[in-house]
Amino acid sequence: MPITTTSAAVHIAPVVIKTFFEHGKRKAKEIKEGRAGQDAKDDIFYDEAFHIVKAFIQLGTENTVESLQAFTNTHVPAPPWAAVSPVLIPLSSCNRAADILIEWFGPHDLKHVVGGERWWQVRGLDGLDGEWMTEKDYLSSSTEHKEHGRIKLSNDDCNILRMNHLETVMLYVHGGGYFWGSINTHRYQIIRYARKFKGRAFAVNYRKAPQYPWPCPIQDILAAYFYLIEPPRGALHKAVSPSKIVMAGDSAGGGLCLTVLTILRDLGLPMPAGAVLISPWVDLTHSFPSVMDNSDTDIIPQYGFLAKPSALWPLYPLPKDSGHVISTRSNVPLKPGHADTLKPTPGRIHDVDNTDDDVISGERVQAQKQMLSESLKEDASSAEGKGSKTEVKEYVLDYDINFWEPKPPKVLMEGSIELRAQIQLYATNEQLGHPLVSPILQGSLGNLPPLYILAGNDEVLRDEIIYLAHRAAHPSEYPLRHGVMQDGHRQKENAERFTNPTKVHLQVFDGMCHVLTVFTFTKSAKRAYRSIAEFVKHVSFRDTEHLEHVPERHRSPSDTHTEDLNEPQHRPFSEKRQQFFHFLNTKKPSQDPIDVSLYKRNGANAANEVKHDEVNFVPVSHLANEGNSDDPIRNATNDISNLSMIRERVDIRGITRHMEPPKEIKALQIRPEKVGIIKEGPIRRWFEGQQKWDTRFEHAAKRAIKRRTKIEASASVMLDNARVQGLLVGGPPPLRQSSLPEHKTHGIQDDRRWGPLDLDDERPPPSAIAKRRDTTEALALLKKTIYHTAPVTHKTVPNMRMSDTICAALNPRDNPNKPPQQSVSEQQVRARLIPVHGLRLWDSIIRYFGKETLKKQKAKEDTSS
């Protein structure tokens, strides 16, 4: 049964009941032992919400990828108090982003690493879905926006014009493991941010894997950014200055934000004012300990993101040959934990030409521990011999890529194994170590705009987030391993060019799981939302001098009180909450709302942290001028400048304390040679889960294989019919040529560069639907680019035959008069016959928990007074 509101409710209801009774038993035991109130889950609301989210994500792994994508990409109406205006980012902005990526990669990497420069530009929609969001109370009251030129505008369009006076823009990139989630799952959170910093937000519904794998999402985020700063013709918003944009993202969205920042930095393009990274996923190799250590305390499924087999995913519904994982057959070419290169070198080609796929003649296959030990010694000796002057390998430019097959990654395990299956949906195993896939492996994370980084202490990504923050703030102290440095010219170049520390504010929240901001009613989340809002205001409203300060170390806490008590509290469902704020204003004027109170309290600790040397300062050598080299420790009433890093922990009550020294943090003791290495623990656990899924869904896998064969035959028939009907592809692109009447959504589109029929000489990842012909979504993409919106490489747009039109009318996923529904990883689903969607129910649950939490807080205050 696919994921629906009903199936989710049936799956989650027993979890709610079980959690309720188990919570009572545990709480009684803690009270008896005098330990009550020390764990975040002592709050019944957080305990329930945590298990609801965990159960839903687990349900997603027990269904097909498409089912989870469809549910989380179903359009949900905006709340009545918010102004939400959808827009379509045009293909021209997408092409601008594509040109930037082409420049960053260069022709060689595009061919050997990415698989070509065309396939990732292929998309089904005529642009990219985005949304402007803010509170209605923040809209200008002007009534002169009813018309734009001679065009009468809709209310949504008018609202875009009425937002133009709000200078600060948060460009939000949603999370979801790079393959699910949408602007619909995150809309309420994004609106909350806009309300907190009194501005507007722009969210983008980027394409997702596995249908549109890396680097498709990166292109889309770049397109959204340049849509903001370089409005295309017809856009209603004014150009937004990069200094007024703050990027923000959670989980996969945080990783994408960081990746985009490094691209802009590398190419010398305008960068935003700062970025907020909430539980960013930046190491897709899972090489840090918390991936295993925190498995039981996080919402991420035990075995990772598995899925019920379908025609789309996994690539091999049934284990290929001898299985997903096999015993190592040879010592050449890989070191343990490393994926093979996508760029053949003379030495690698010689190894392949002189080595069978099986064991090398006359050699015994070494144990993985022995191989890893030797490989680390090689890396260390190589690094010592070359110092910082790492030489880039000379890659073969004339080797035929069509005959190059990377060897499967070896993994550090007893018994020596090789991976024969793709372990992440976002990228192939060979791509996981690329710096634009796992930005933790960037040559340098210095010279970036200010970063506010949040993590939950109980989440599986905790260690890589802590390591990321320290690498950005201290580029020279956390170098990249030698093997990654020599994989591309930009890695070595970046390590040498970008040595200035990035200003980083790191906060790790006790007892919280992945993306703590989902649980908006907790004190931890309230603290996070307020701090994020203050960070956004700080970097977007301050001049260059003030950007030397971290928000809480610059802005007087009293500034927050007067402006935040005036926030709009107009939502009809929150009458009790309005009464609570009124009570605070009239009865106890010295008190603020919870988030403001916590922010003020933590801001007052700045002087103590400086006094006890609990913050990091920018080295004198990196200061812009010698005049700033004075002792930065000043009177507590003055600004504290030249901070390079603030390192804090936040308890379950939202109160900060300084973080322990780096030498006491496990994640920071990992040797550079072991970062970005595929290791035994995560692979063993993934393989255990995959075996269970193979057994449980064996019949579904067989059906998926049959389904692929049937769809592939349909695609072949469609292509044959299209050619008979006059389809012509290739040659110089026409200026305007179509067999259909000219229409902005039909015919040959000038800005659509490539289609699925232009990829004969490219090798996209196997999951990419741009070149596949064995999934329904690939078929829909192919049909749209043949009969409806053809790229400029097509000379004609054929008319459909009568029989094809009848078949389209009988197909619920098709329409004879409109382009077929595109992939659910790209196009939003419009719900039918369901009055309330699960995403809206979840928001109602969160609001209820929030109201009850406020009531509990008020009761405690009344008791204490």
Side-chain angles (χ1 to χ4, degrees):
M1 183 178 181
I3 301 178
T4 63
T5 300
T6 301
S7 65
V10 171
H11 179 81
I12 292 173
V15 175
V16 174
I17 297 171
K18 179 181 178 182
T19 301
F20 179 80
F21 286 106
E22 289 185 350
H23 177 88
K25 292 179 182 179
R26 187 181 70 252
K27 194 72 175 288
K29 183 179 179 181
E30 290 177 352
I31 292 175
K32 184 177 180 180
E33 297 175 354
R35 296 185 294 107
Q38 299 179 11
D39 188 345
K41 293 190 181 70
D42 287 344
D43 180 355
I44 179 63
F45 300 119
Y46 175 67
D47 200 8
E48 287 284 11
F50 172 88
H51 285 93
I52 288 173
V53 175
K54 189 178 182 73
F56 173 77
I57 298 178
Q58 179 62 34
L59 175 65
T61 67
E62 298 170 3
N63 283 268
T64 65
V65 167
E66 307 96 306
S67 179
L68 178 60
Q69 289 175 334
F71 184 82
T72 58
N73 197 20
T74 297
H75 178 74
V76 177
W81 67 87
V84 177
S85 299
V87 297
L88 187 69
I89 301 172
L91 293 174
S92 58
S93 296
C94 298
N95 293 340
R96 171 79 165 102
D99 293 338
I100 291 170
L101 273 181
I102 290 171
E103 180 182 356
W104 193 96
F105 281 114
H108 187 259
D109 280 12
L110 278 170
K111 182 177 182 180
H112 295 285
V113 177
V114 181
E117 72 169 64
R118 300 178 180 182
W119 69 264
W120 47 273
Q121 298 187 56
V122 175
R123 63 180 70 239
L125 298 183
D126 296 337
L128 177 64
D129 282 341
E131 283 187 356
W132 286 102
M133 307 181 199
T134 192
E135 291 266 343
K136 283 185 176 178
D137 282 1
Y138 297 163
L139 297 174
S140 66
S141 58
S142 175
T143 59
E144 61 186 26
H145 301 307
K146 295 295 183 181
E147 294 187 1
H148 184 69
R150 297 182 178 181
I151 302 175
K152 188 173 183 180
L153 301 179
S154 65
N155 288 334
D156 287 341
D157 290 342
C158 287
N159 286 341
I160 295 176
L161 297 175
R162 295 174 65 190
M163 293 181 201
N164 273 329
H165 71 286
L166 300 172
E167 292 185 335
T168 301
V169 176
M170 173 183 278
L171 173 55
Y172 197 90
V173 185
H174 69 80
Y178 294 97
F179 78 98
W180 61 279
S182 70
I183 51 180
N184 296 288
T185 56
H186 288 66
R187 187 179 290 113
Y188 285 82
Q189 297 176 48
I190 301 171
I191 294 171
R192 186 183 184 93
Y193 288 123
R195 174 166 61 87
K196 292 289 184 181
F197 68 80
K198 292 181 168 57
R200 50 181 168 160
F202 188 79
V204 56
N205 214 34
Y206 60 89
R207 295 170 294 167
K208 285 166 279 291
Q211 298 97 319
Y212 293 100
W214 178 83
C216 295
I218 299 175
Q219 182 200 2
D220 290 355
I221 308 308
L222 281 168
Y225 179 69
F226 281 93
Y227 175 78
L228 296 180
I229 68 175
E230 300 174 1
R233 182 180 180 182
L236 297 175
H237 69 280
K238 296 178 181 177
V240 183
S241 170
S243 65
K244 296 297 182 180
I245 297 175
V246 177
M247 298 190 74
D250 62 278
S251 190
L256 288 169
C257 286
L258 183 61
T259 296
V260 168
L261 288 179
T262 60
I263 293 172
L264 296 175
R265 176 203 63 185
D266 293 352
L267 298 181
L269 296 169
M271 289 193 290
V276 178
L277 310 180
I278 306 167
S279 296
W281 187 9
V282 293
D283 176 25
L284 274 74
T285 67
H286 287 328
S287 60
F288 287 86
S290 60
V291 167
M292 298 299 297
D293 297 343
N294 287 355
S295 179
D296 294 335
T297 56
D298 203 1
I299 57 176
I300 304 301
Q302 177 184 3
Y303 301 119
F305 292 117
L306 302 178
K308 178 181 177 181
S310 69
L312 171 69
W313 184 267
L315 296 176
Y316 303 106
L318 293 174
K320 184 181 180 182
D321 300 330
S322 52
H324 301 294
V325 174
I326 67 169
S327 297
T328 300
R329 294 180 175 179
S330 68
N331 292 335
V332 178
L334 301 181
K335 300 174 184 179
H338 294 256
D340 200 1
T341 180
L342 290 166
K343 300 181 288 186
T345 62
R348 268 299 283 117
I349 296 171
H350 179 271
D351 289 338
V352 172
D353 291 341
N354 294 276
T355 304
D356 295 332
D357 282 339
D358 297 324
V359 181
I360 305 171
S361 176
E363 280 193 40
R364 177 181 60 86
V365 177
Q366 296 174 341
Q368 288 286 347
K369 284 188 176 180
Q370 180 182 355
M371 295 173 66
L372 182 67
S373 177
E374 292 183 1
S375 69
L376 293 182
K377 290 179 181 178
E378 292 173 8
D379 276 343
S381 62
S382 180
E384 291 175 2
K386 297 182 179 179
S388 60
K389 301 296 183 180
T390 305
E391 295 183 5
V392 180
K393 291 181 180 178
E394 180 182 352
Y395 293 102
V396 178
L397 298 178
D398 58 354
Y399 191 85
D400 192 342
I401 190 66
N402 296 317
F403 294 98
W404 177 254
E405 291 294 341
K407 297 297 182 183
K410 293 180 181 178
V411 183
L412 174 62
M413 292 181 68
E414 297 292 342
S416 305
I417 66 166
E418 292 180 357
L419 286 173
R420 295 283 175 169
Q422 186 172 318
I423 57 177
Q424 302 286 12
L425 288 86
Y426 181 49
T428 66
N429 296 340
E430 296 77 23
Q431 294 171 335
L432 296 182
H434 193 278
L436 297 193
V437 176
S438 295
I440 195 71
L441 298 175
Q442 278 283 343
S444 171
L445 291 171
N447 292 72
L448 295 176
L451 303 177
Y452 179 32
I453 304 175
L454 299 84
N457 194 59
D458 288 356
E459 68 169 298
V460 296
L461 303 185
R462 178 198 63 201
D463 288 351
E464 65 191 71
I465 297 170
I466 293 176
Y467 193 87
L468 161 73
H470 285 78
R471 271 209 75 206
H474 306 284
S476 61
E477 295 181 24
Y478 299 91
L480 199 60
R481 62 182 167 90
H482 178 75
V484 178
M485 286 290 288
Q486 65 182 2
D487 274 348
H489 71 281
R490 287 198 183 275
Q491 292 290 71
K492 174 180 180 291
E493 180 182 303
N494 289 351
E496 295 175 349
R497 285 178 60 198
F498 305 121
T499 58
N500 289 343
T502 296
K503 297 183 184 304
V504 176
H505 189 178
L506 169 66
Q507 290 187 325
V508 180
F509 289 73
D510 294 347
M512 299 307 292
C513 63
H514 188 57
V515 190
L516 64 100
T517 49
V518 168
F519 308 94
T520 56
F521 56 88
T522 64
K523 285 188 176 180
S524 295
K526 291 178 184 293
R527 172 77 177 82
Y529 275 96
R530 173 54 53 199
S531 295
I532 290 171
E534 295 305 318
F535 175 85
V536 171
K537 293 183 199 176
H538 176 76
V539 299
S540 63
F541 279 109
R542 305 293 178 181
D543 56 29
T544 304
E545 177 183 355
H546 286 91
L547 288 182
E548 294 295 325
H549 314 285
V550 176
E552 290 177 10
R553 307 308 182 264
H554 164 74
R555 196 164 185 257
S556 171
S558 62
D559 293 344
T560 307
H561 172 74
T562 56
E563 64 183 55
D564 286 292
L565 288 180
N566 295 323
E567 286 187 357
Q569 304 294 334
H570 54 273
R571 294 182 290 281
F573 61 82
S574 60
E575 181 179 352
K576 293 183 179 180
R577 187 178 178 188
Q578 293 180 48
Q579 293 174 356
F580 179 56
F581 283 116
H582 177 71
F583 171 80
L584 289 177
N585 276 315
T586 56
K587 302 296 182 182
K588 296 185 179 181
S590 63
Q591 295 188 23
D592 298 326
I594 294 175
D595 59 339
V596 177
S597 177
L598 290 172
Y599 186 84
K600 288 176 59 179
R601 178 173 177 179
N602 291 308
N605 295 331
N608 285 333
E609 292 187 19
V610 175
K611 181 179 179 181
H612 293 92
D613 196 24
E614 293 160 0
V615 297
N616 303 138
F617 294 97
V618 178
V620 174
S621 60
H622 290 298
L623 295 179
N625 55 70
E626 296 180 359
N628 291 331
S629 62
D630 296 334
D631 183 2
I633 302 178
R634 304 176 181 179
N635 186 287
T637 60
N638 294 331
D639 292 338
I640 306 169
S641 63
N642 302 333
L643 294 178
S644 66
M645 187 177 192
I646 297 292
R647 306 161 59 255
E648 295 175 322
R649 292 191 180 273
V650 185
D651 67 18
I652 61 174
R653 297 168 185 82
I655 306 302
T656 60
R657 65 186 187 278
H658 70 275
M659 187 177 290
E660 62 274 23
K663 63 183 180 181
E664 298 178 14
I665 299 176
K666 183 179 179 181
L668 301 181
Q669 310 313 310
I670 299 175
R671 296 173 58 183
E673 293 84 358
K674 293 188 177 182
V675 176
I677 299 295
I678 303 173
K679 297 178 180 175
E680 173 181 3
I683 294 303
R684 185 184 292 278
R685 186 174 61 188
W686 168 84
F687 183 44
E688 178 186 348
Q690 190 62 64
Q691 286 180 310
K692 291 182 178 180
W693 259 240
D694 288 342
T695 301
R696 179 179 177 183
F697 298 113
E698 181 179 3
H699 294 297
K702 293 178 179 179
R703 290 196 300 270
I705 293 174
K706 292 181 180 178
R707 178 71 175 154
R708 284 182 179 178
T709 303
K710 183 177 180 181
I711 297 172
E712 201 163 10
S714 298
S716 179
V717 171
M718 178 194 296
L719 283 172
D720 290 341
N721 290 342
R723 292 187 180 101
V724 171
Q725 295 155 17
L727 173 65
L728 294 176
V729 180
L735 296 176
R736 277 285 184 183
Q737 186 173 353
S738 174
S739 58
L740 296 178
E742 189 174 305
H743 191 280
K744 70 173 183 178
T745 58
H746 288 78
I748 296 174
Q749 295 181 316
D750 291 341
D751 288 328
R752 188 178 289 272
R753 293 176 171 177
W754 312 108
L757 300 181
D758 302 314
L759 311 178
D760 289 344
D761 57 345
E762 298 208 338
R763 294 187 56 175
S767 70
I769 61 173
K771 199 172 180 179
R772 292 181 70 171
R773 303 289 185 266
D774 58 356
T775 75
T776 55
E777 294 177 323
L779 197 63
L781 176 64
L782 183 63
K783 184 174 183 178
K784 185 174 188 293
T785 55
I786 290 177
Y787 292 106
H788 299 278
T789 53
V792 292
T793 55
H794 288 209
K795 294 183 177 181
T796 58
V797 177
N799 290 306
M800 294 178 61
R801 297 188 307 183
M802 181 61 68
S803 58
D804 296 331
T805 303
I806 295 174
C807 289
L810 298 175
N811 187 345
R813 289 182 53 88
D814 207 347
N815 188 317
N817 301 314
K818 298 180 181 179
Q821 173 76 22
Q822 293 302 293
S823 169
V824 290
S825 68
E826 179 185 18
Q827 185 172 3
Q828 297 182 61
V829 178
R830 300 287 170 170
R832 299 177 181 178
L833 305 178
I834 302 178
V836 180
H837 190 267
L839 297 179
R840 300 195 71 177
L841 288 177
W842 168 249
D843 179 70
S844 299
I845 292 171
I846 292 296
R847 291 207 310 269
Y848 171 76
F849 286 171
K851 289 195 296 182
E852 293 302 311
T853 300
L854 282 174
K855 288 170 62 177
K856 288 171 63 178
Q857 179 70 20
K858 185 175 182 297
K860 288 181 180 180
E861 291 174 355
D862 291 341
T863 301
S864 62
S865 62

